[in-house]
Amino acid sequence: MTGMEHLASFTATGRLHGIGIGSTLGEVDQAFPHRFVDVVDEGGTSLRRDYGFVEFYFNSDRGEEWVMSGGSLELHRLASGHDMARTWARATGVTFPRHVAWADLREALAGVPGAPAFEVTDQGGFLEYRAAASHVSVIVVDDAEEERGCHVGHGDVWSIGLWAPVRAN
C-alpha cells in the first residue's frame, strides 16, 4: 500500500495499522514497533506517545490501562525530516511522500468505499476538513504565500488528526 492509499484509508476509517480510538497501549505497541518518547502529565491520567511524525494520545484512570483517545499524523514534519519517512518505510513498508497535497489525498479518497463527507472551517491560515463519520480532521495550509520546500505549502496537508467522539451523558 502506498503512503497516499494509507492516508486515504486512515482518513476514511479512523484506523491506522489496525488501531484507533479505544485501542490499548499494548495494541499500539504491537502495531508500532518504533522508537518513541512518552510524556505523562503530572496527574498521571494522560499520555502522549511521540513517534516523530505520528503521535498518539491516551487516557487512564489511575491504575487502569492506557486507552487511546486521539492521535495525529504530523505530515508537515516530513517536508524537512527525510529520515523520518525512510525510517517509517523500513519498519512498516509504507512510503510517505515529502509533501501531501490535499487534492491528491481527495483523489485517493475517491477510490475508498464509504469515504466520509467533510465539514470545512477556516482556522486562520489553515482549513480544517472534519469527517464526523471517521472522527478525523485534515488540516490544510490555506495561505497562498506559503511555498513548498523544506516546509509544506499552500494546499498541502499539515496534519491528519484523530479525535474521540463526545459521549452523551
Side-chain angles (χ1 to χ4, degrees):
M1 181 180 289
T2 68
M4 196 61 71
E5 291 167 336
H6 207 71
L7 295 173
S9 174
F10 175 58
T11 302
T13 66
R15 307 216 42 95
L16 185 65
H17 292 288
I19 61 165
I21 299 296
S23 294
T24 65
L25 191 57
E27 291 167 333
V28 171
D29 286 342
Q30 287 181 334
F32 289 87
H34 310 284
R35 293 175 49 190
F36 58 85
V37 173
D38 279 344
V39 179
V40 179
D41 76 327
E42 287 183 24
T45 59
S46 68
L47 164 71
R48 179 176 59 89
R49 177 163 283 182
D50 187 343
Y51 292 93
F53 80 98
V54 176
E55 294 182 358
F56 295 117
Y57 314 107
F58 299 86
N59 291 324
S60 173
D61 293 328
R62 291 188 183 143
E64 298 293 322
E65 189 167 22
W66 292 107
V67 177
M68 186 187 297
S69 59
S72 107
L73 298 173
E74 300 294 331
L75 296 170
H76 63 95
R77 293 182 181 171
L78 296 177
S80 62
H82 308 296
D83 289 342
M84 281 186 206
R86 281 193 291 270
T87 299
W88 198 263
R90 279 193 304 272
T92 65
V94 179
T95 303
F96 287 96
R98 183 174 175 203
H99 299 95
V100 176
W102 174 232
D104 294 342
L105 181 53
R106 290 291 299 246
E107 185 178 318
L109 274 166
V112 175
F118 294 95
E119 287 186 29
V120 183
T121 57
D122 188 335
Q123 300 292 330
F126 298 91
L127 293 175
E128 177 185 22
Y129 293 83
R130 191 170 178 96
S134 60
H135 304 288
V136 171
S137 291
V138 180
I139 305 298
V140 178
V141 178
D142 188 41
D143 183 342
E145 295 184 21
E146 288 295 326
E147 295 183 24
R148 265 188 183 177
C150 291
H151 305 286
V152 294
H154 179 72
D156 285 333
V157 176
W158 180 267
S159 65
I160 302 175
L162 178 62
W163 41 272
V166 176
R167 294 183 182 171
N169 291 331

